[in-house]
Amino acid sequence: MLDTAIKTQLKTYLERLVQPIELVASLDDGEKSAEVRELLREIGELSPLASIREDGTDARKPSFAVGRPGEDARVRFAGIPMGHEFTSLVLALLQVSGYAPKVEPEIIEQIKNIPGTFRFETYISLSCHNCPDVVQALNLMAVLNPGIENVMIDGALFQDEVDSRQIMAVPSVWLNGEVFGQGRMTLEEIIAKIDTGAATRDAEKLNAKDAFDVLVVGGGPAGSAAAIYAARKGIRTGVVAERFGGQVLDTLSIENLISVPHTEGPKLATALEQHVKEYEVDIMNLQRAEALIPAGEDGLIQVRTVGGATLKSKSVILATGARWREMNVPGEKEYKAKGVCFCPHCDGPLFKGKRVAVIGGGNSGVEAAIDLAGIVSHVTLIEFDSKLRADAVLQAKLTSLPNVTVIVSALSTEVTGDGEKVNGLIYKDRVSGESKRVGLEGIFVQIGLLPNTDWIKGTVALSPRGEIEVDARGQTSVPGVFAAGDVTTVPYKQIIIAMGEGAKASLSAFDHLIRSPAPASAVAVAA
């Protein structure tokens, strides 16, 4: 089951087990159960603290529970946690044994003190790069709090459940039999959803904070670079972000970050946060800004959050990034996560053997179509323009695939469904004017980005496309407010460009502070 290299690595990890653990399997006579049996046997051989039983009574087969002998197990895996989920298995083994997690003490205490009973079911695909974060967060919560349980469910193995619950996007989390959430969620996000008093406590803490010299709104590549450059000047720096890492978290493969031949979005996001934490930066995560108030007589700019907090700062850098552009046609919102998807890598395996469409003929759309063609029965790529806009090498690969149809000069006009899931797409032929329908089960939208600027309309000057207008120094139309990254008018939305723009905006903000009538409190020290 495990090759020699993985066994050697796993044995090293299992040497860190603190107390005995017990893996209890629920199996049948199927091929996948045989694979689980072999996996557990190999784990048992690698550590004297790991014992294996096969008398489990779970209705899901194959599955196995991870717990301590004599105690009710609260962490389970329905399926074979390999691929991206192998790390989830390793962490579960260690943490159930008592190995201390790398989580801040206050978060651990918060988890332990959450009252109630929570039975999580987390549907995943083994190719999903966002799923492990959710599985690992929920497993940790189950380890720390006896009122919490979690089971990872491989949707490819339990297709009947996936179909009956109309699951068409992963990760998909159910709580006590009801939908809890879909898509990537951090540990902090999950805690905030079930700890009902957390929002009020957070607002009180934020309102009590002193004014910052530089406050960065956004935690993606641009925001991270801005925070690091500001903190290195020795001035009071804060970052307020709805989701630290931003859209990078939803990016699978990154191969154009100079000096880094290849990385993955979640890995880069973690590295960004770790780098920011090397400095004295006040990171305020899971806080969505809802209003920007220009400086008054006190010289302080205010940023108000959805949670009711107000942060003050002598300068502000807006780095709120962008989000996936939607088609904005009837049926799209109704069937989101019910056939309308935005991540082919995550959700593609759920459409194995089915018909799907990809909307968009740029690099993202063509790459998605190529990836999906190896999983689904047929891919229809629909492009508004009269020709595809993707790189020639990608177009050549696409046209070589036998189960792909390309339709150009097509305007998507409606997503159709049966009330529970997608069953087709209607488009208008822009040449003939004729309306046509494609029968399918899934639609992957890949048509670009929209800047996250709704909250500052009417306060900061925006371009016709909704991007923040900035000059060569990153200055916006509001004194003391700068902007960087995908949210601005700077062309070419690339990670490396966003990082550079974040650094530039931060240096401009510092220059603004030292030239202002009331300089930042720490400027004299930094100078």
Side-chain angles (χ1 to χ4, degrees), residues 356 367-379 398 401-404:
V356 303
E367 287 173 355
I370 293 171
D371 289 344
L372 290 166
I375 302 172
V376 305
S377 64
H378 190 270
V379 179
L398 182 72
L401 300 175
N403 62 334
V404 175

Side-chain angles (χ1 to χ4, degrees), residues 23-27 36 39-40 43 58 60-67 73-82 84-96 122 124 126 132 135-136 139-140 150-154 157-158:
L23 286 75
V24 181
S26 300
L27 307 173
V36 169
L39 173 63
L40 299 186
I43 292 174
D58 197 315
R60 293 188 181 99
K61 296 179 176 63
S63 67
F64 63 94
V66 182
R74 302 190 297 274
V75 175
R76 290 181 291 149
F77 294 89
I80 308 172
M82 299 300 290
H84 287 299
E85 292 296 346
F86 187 66
T87 301
S88 300
L89 171 60
V90 173
L91 287 175
L93 298 175
L94 293 176
Q95 291 169 358
V96 168
T122 309
I124 61 95
L126 295 180
V135 172
Q136 291 164 24
N139 283 351
L140 174 59
N150 182 51
V151 53
M152 181 217 80
I153 305 167
D154 182 356
L157 292 188
F158 296 90

Side-chain angles (χ1 to χ4, degrees), residues 119 172 201 204 237 254 288 360 367 476 502:
R119 303 288 181 260
S172 183
R201 295 194 302 270
E204 292 174 352
T237 305
I254 300 171
R288 180 159 61 92
E367 287 173 355
T476 71

Side-chain angles (χ1 to χ4, degrees), residues 84-85 123-134 153-156 162 167-172 182-185 243 247-253 264-266 324 340-352 367-368 371-372 375-376 444 446:
H84 287 299
E85 292 296 346
Y123 292 87
I124 61 95
S125 69
L126 295 180
S127 63
C128 170
H129 61 286
N130 287 324
C131 293
D133 291 332
V134 178
I153 305 167
D154 182 356
V162 168
I167 294 170
M168 302 185 118
V170 290
S172 183
Q182 292 174 322
R184 188 183 186 279
M185 290 180 283
R243 185 175 67 147
Q247 196 183 30
V248 165
L249 291 167
D250 302 321
T251 304
L252 180 60
S253 180
E264 295 181 348
W324 292 114
V340 175
C341 307
F342 296 86
C343 180
H345 302 291
C346 300
D347 301 330
L350 298 176
F351 294 86
K352 183 178 180 180
E367 287 173 355
D371 289 344
L372 290 166
I375 302 172
V376 305
F444 290 82
Q446 303 282 292

Side-chain angles (χ1 to χ4, degrees), residues 302-316:
Q302 297 182 37
V303 173
R304 192 171 67 238
T305 71
V306 172
T310 299
L311 298 166
K312 298 180 179 181
S313 182
K314 296 169 184 175
S315 66
V316 169

Side-chain angles (χ1 to χ4, degrees), residues 314-367:
K314 296 169 184 175
S315 66
V316 169
I317 298 174
L318 304 175
T320 46
R323 62 190 183 277
W324 292 114
R325 183 185 296 273
E326 299 179 356
M327 294 184 290
N328 292 319
V329 300
E332 181 180 27
K333 291 188 182 298
E334 180 183 354
Y335 291 105
K336 188 176 291 185
K338 296 179 181 179
V340 175
C341 307
F342 296 86
C343 180
H345 302 291
C346 300
D347 301 330
L350 298 176
F351 294 86
K352 183 178 180 180
K354 299 180 180 180
R355 302 164 300 168
V356 303
V358 173
I359 312 300
N363 283 347
S364 296
V366 172
E367 287 173 355

